Amino acid sequence: MYKVMLVDDEMIIREGLKTRIDWQAYGFELAGDYANGLEAQTAIVADPPDLIISDICMPFVDGLELAEFVHHHYPDIKMIILTGFDEFEYARRAIRLKVSDFILKPVTAKEIRELLKQIKPEMDDQRQLHHNIDQLHTQWSQSLPLLKERFWEKVLTSGVSHTEWEQHRLQFALPSLSSAYQLVVIEPDNDTITDSSPVQALVDSLSSIIQTILPTEWEYTSIVYQSRYVYLFSYPSVDHSSTPAIFEQITQTINQLYQLSSQQIDTSFTIGLATGCTDITDMPQQYEQAIQALEYRFLFGTGTLLSFANLQQQSSSPIPDIDWEKEIVTHLSNNDLEEAQRLSAQMAQQMITRRTSPTECILQFRQIALRIQDWLQQLGLESILSTFVNQPQWLTAPTLQHILQEWFAVLDHVSAHLNKQIQINSQQHIQKAIYYIEQHYAEAHLSLQDICSHVLMSTSSFSQAFKQYTEVTYVEYLTRIRIDKAKQLLRLTEYKFYQIAEKVGYTDPNYFSSSFKKHTGITPKQYREQHRHVKELYR
């Protein structure tokens, strides 16, 4: 249904049209009737109709003035003028105001019915047209972000011409073509962020800070592309000799942005800064530079500002070539955990100095891990490191520092297991050595070297392990065995003292007597006298 409004200062005409026409039968409903254009204007503002049938001569505001009001403020409302004047000037003015029809009075209900039949299809077409336009506008609004994203994908990957940029400048709110461009790519460090709220909050916060600190002569635009926030700053300069100073100015501004953002924004993010260019067609190269700069956060850590230009400047001091794999494994095999970890940290620092790629860094750690595993396999302990090598979650660590922390834990894990195994092995060796001592104590030339050769241990390792296990030194233990055996012979036999000395490993009887008294407090003779009753029991 279309709403129709009647406007005429003659009540009889209004009442006649209201009662003699079945409005609904023609697709209309009567929205109201008014005596002059002024009343009609107020009603139109409150609730605009679709069609107005109005007299031309009325007090306050006549029909043509009403038509002019409608034409300027509600151009979609159709209007039919009723008049008793058959003058060309009225008709011409009505046409200029886009009045749909111009009917001479007196008008009949039949004429109005015929007019309604004619005008409704026009109104149907107009409504359908508006509907189609609304749909197109909705579709356009919905597709605009995608179109913008595709345009920026082309800008950043293959490049666009100056003509293409100008064609889309108003459509995508792009800055005007200029002579200096600076590309900045900002990426959140937390890959687990999926909620759009903190992401949008980050973008809003960054934009707010940028608007505060950006020099007035700079323009900028931004786009979210592949979960990164790309900002393009442009400077409308024509003096190319001043370009380096311009880039330095915007670099300082980005540094200021980084400092302020770090203080005001909770979300951690890293900034990749390209070198800057003077032609919009160079954007693919600039984007690649910014992405490469971001990749260096693996070396320098997250939450940082990384400039591609600065990262290309490697250290000029000589870097020693060290076989890290050999050195670290050697110190670990010698149970020197502290030195193995120190060398690992030194290796990581060299990776930073040399700007080693993440792939090469990971490969280096992996090769050392494999070599350690081979060494452990020879010891029968390959299970200690198998989980770390075969399920390397550490390979997905976001930074070199994270990998180094994981690596320290691995070295500590290996060292702890080695110490435990060494302790077990040492106990077995010491038990074997004790048995050997008990079997060979009578040999006068039994030495520490003889024992170590028998159990396949170094003298230093054996001495340390032996004392830890027995709480006495090897010499003290051997002496104790010999004295105990001498006591037994003194109690149970009539061997001469020199014979007993020989039987327990002493070639010098005097040294035997001296050693016996030192450990028992009495001489061998006194000991025998005190225990003579024992020998009597065995007779």
Side-chain angles (χ1 to χ4, degrees):
M1 288 288 180
Y2 295 105
K3 293 184 293 183
V4 61
M5 177 185 291
L6 299 179
V7 187
D8 199 310
D9 59 340
E10 296 183 46
M11 183 180 293
I12 190 171
I13 294 179
R14 297 201 309 272
E15 290 298 325
L17 293 177
K18 286 167 57 177
T19 57
R20 297 184 60 188
I21 297 176
D22 185 358
W23 296 95
Q24 291 190 354
Y26 295 95
F28 293 86
E29 62 176 335
L30 197 58
D33 61 291
Y34 305 92
N36 58 67
L38 186 60
E39 293 179 1
Q41 285 181 359
T42 303
I44 291 169
V45 172
D47 185 15
D50 300 298
L51 173 65
I52 298 174
I53 301 176
S54 173
D55 189 12
I56 198 168
C57 288
M58 296 179 295
F60 307 114
V61 174
D62 63 25
L64 289 180
E65 289 174 328
L66 178 61
E68 188 166 5
F69 169 79
V70 170
H71 174 68
H72 289 298
H73 299 285
Y74 302 91
D76 291 334
I77 298 177
K78 288 194 172 295
M79 194 158 181
I80 298 174
I81 294 293
L82 308 178
T83 182
F85 300 96
D86 187 11
E87 294 185 7
F88 175 73
E89 184 60 32
Y90 284 108
R92 187 173 66 175
R93 187 177 175 191
I95 293 172
R96 179 170 55 82
L97 295 175
K98 297 184 178 179
V99 172
S100 298
D101 213 330
F102 191 81
I103 303 176
L104 292 175
K105 286 185 175 181
V107 63
T108 64
K110 181 178 180 181
E111 287 179 304
I112 295 299
R113 294 190 195 99
E114 290 298 324
L115 188 59
L116 293 177
K117 288 181 182 179
Q118 295 175 10
I119 202 168
K120 185 177 181 299
E122 296 178 18
M123 298 178 70
D124 289 340
D125 291 342
Q126 182 175 338
R127 176 171 285 183
Q128 185 61 44
L129 177 62
H130 282 210
H131 176 72
N132 294 341
I133 292 174
D134 290 341
Q135 278 194 322
L136 288 173
H137 186 268
T138 300
Q139 293 173 359
W140 168 254
S141 300
Q142 293 173 346
S143 62
L144 187 60
L146 179 60
L147 293 173
K148 184 178 181 180
E149 182 178 348
R150 288 179 177 175
F151 174 77
W152 271 101
E153 182 177 11
K154 185 177 181 181
V155 171
L156 300 175
T157 57
S158 59
V160 297
S161 66
H162 293 184
T163 302
E164 289 178 285
W165 185 267
E166 282 297 327
Q167 287 174 346
H168 295 86
R169 190 165 65 84
L170 295 178
Q171 179 183 4
F172 298 139
L174 306 174
S176 57
L177 286 171
S178 61
S179 63
Y181 301 93
Q182 182 70 62
L183 191 71
V184 177
V185 179
I186 300 176
E187 186 170 20
D189 295 321
N190 188 357
D191 295 333
T192 62
I193 292 180
T194 56
D195 185 4
S196 60
S197 296
V199 171
Q200 188 59 48
L202 173 60
V203 175
D204 293 343
S205 298
L206 289 170
S207 297
S208 176
I209 296 173
I210 288 173
Q211 291 172 7
T212 302
I213 65 175
L214 191 68
T216 55
E217 60 270 23
W218 281 86
E219 296 181 81
Y220 84 95
T221 186
S222 63
I223 183 71
V224 178
Y225 178 63
Q226 295 183 342
S227 299
R228 301 183 179 104
Y229 312 118
V230 181
Y231 287 87
L232 176 64
F233 298 92
S234 63
Y235 184 84
S237 171
V238 294
D239 183 5
H240 290 279
S241 63
S242 63
T243 300
I246 293 172
F247 287 145
E248 178 62 27
Q249 181 187 22
I250 197 63
T251 299
Q252 292 175 0
T253 301
I254 298 304
N255 270 288
Q256 188 180 2
L257 167 66
Y258 168 68
Q259 297 296 334
L260 291 174
S261 301
S262 301
Q263 299 169 9
Q264 300 179 21
I265 300 176
D266 294 333
T267 304
S268 176
F269 60 90
T270 301
I271 299 178
L273 181 63
T275 57
C277 65
T278 58
D279 195 324
I280 196 67
T281 60
D282 292 333
M283 279 303 108
Q285 179 190 34
Q286 294 293 298
Y287 183 67
E288 182 63 27
Q289 287 182 1
I291 296 303
Q292 287 184 28
L294 283 176
E295 290 176 355
Y296 276 100
R297 74 176 140 188
F298 177 82
L299 296 178
F300 294 95
T302 56
T304 52
L305 170 61
L306 301 169
S307 168
F308 181 82
N310 293 340
L311 292 169
Q312 301 310 299
Q313 301 172 3
Q314 295 190 11
S315 173
S316 57
S317 58
I319 302 175
D321 286 323
I322 299 175
D323 189 343
W324 300 108
E325 186 176 329
K326 177 182 176 182
E327 292 294 324
I328 292 172
V329 175
T330 297
H331 285 284
L332 189 63
S333 62
N334 291 333
N335 202 25
D336 190 349
L337 172 63
E338 184 176 345
E339 183 63 15
Q341 290 183 333
R342 188 192 70 79
L343 286 169
S344 298
Q346 187 178 345
M347 178 183 70
Q349 184 57 48
Q350 187 181 91
M351 290 173 174
I352 295 174
T353 303
R354 286 181 166 174
R355 308 290 193 258
T356 308
S357 70
T359 301
E360 291 175 335
C361 292
I362 292 171
L363 180 61
Q364 180 71 67
F365 278 101
R366 186 172 178 80
Q367 284 191 310
I368 298 175
L370 288 171
R371 183 158 177 176
I372 293 175
Q373 188 179 40
D374 290 341
W375 164 61
L376 291 174
Q377 190 172 8
Q378 295 173 10
L379 300 177
L381 303 173
E382 64 272 14
S383 61
I384 293 177
L385 203 61
S386 60
T387 302
F388 179 80
V389 174
N390 298 328
Q391 299 177 357
Q393 293 87 348
W394 58 280
L395 295 180
T396 60
T399 67
L400 179 60
Q401 188 60 36
H402 282 86
I403 288 184
L404 193 61
Q405 291 173 357
E406 292 286 337
W407 180 250
F408 280 175
V410 167
L411 294 180
D412 189 61
H413 176 73
V414 172
S415 179
H417 277 75
L418 283 175
N419 285 330
K420 183 178 180 180
Q421 190 62 41
I422 288 172
Q423 186 177 7
I424 293 173
N425 292 341
S426 295
Q427 291 176 358
Q428 293 173 347
H429 289 321
I430 299 306
Q431 289 170 356
K432 184 178 179 181
I434 289 173
Y435 180 78
Y436 187 83
I437 291 170
E438 290 176 348
Q439 298 299 314
H440 297 271
Y441 69 90
E443 298 174 7
H445 298 291
L446 181 65
S447 66
L448 177 62
Q449 287 75 15
D450 294 335
I451 304 297
C452 291
S453 296
H454 180 69
V455 297
L456 301 177
M457 290 180 70
S458 67
T459 56
S460 60
S461 297
F462 175 80
S463 296
Q464 181 180 359
F466 190 89
K467 185 166 186 179
Q468 184 178 2
Y469 186 74
T470 64
E471 298 184 348
V472 295
T473 65
Y474 158 71
V475 173
E476 291 172 334
Y477 188 84
L478 177 60
T479 302
R480 181 187 298 173
I481 291 290
R482 285 173 169 172
I483 297 300
D484 286 345
K485 295 297 183 182
K487 289 179 180 180
Q488 185 179 0
L489 291 174
L490 287 169
R491 291 193 308 268
L492 302 178
T493 72
E494 290 295 334
Y495 288 131
K496 303 295 183 182
F497 294 147
Y498 75 88
Q499 291 176 315
I500 293 176
E502 290 179 353
K503 289 182 179 295
V504 296
Y506 288 95
T507 57
D508 184 350
N510 293 327
Y511 181 68
F512 163 68
S513 295
S514 174
S515 180
F516 189 91
K517 185 176 182 180
K518 179 180 179 180
H519 284 82
T520 63
I522 57 177
T523 65
K525 181 179 179 180
Q526 292 171 327
Y527 185 85
R528 174 171 275 180
E529 290 297 328
Q530 290 179 1
H531 295 83
R532 185 169 294 279
H533 67 281
V534 175
K535 184 170 61 175
E536 296 293 333
L537 293 175
Y538 286 91
R539 287 183 176 179

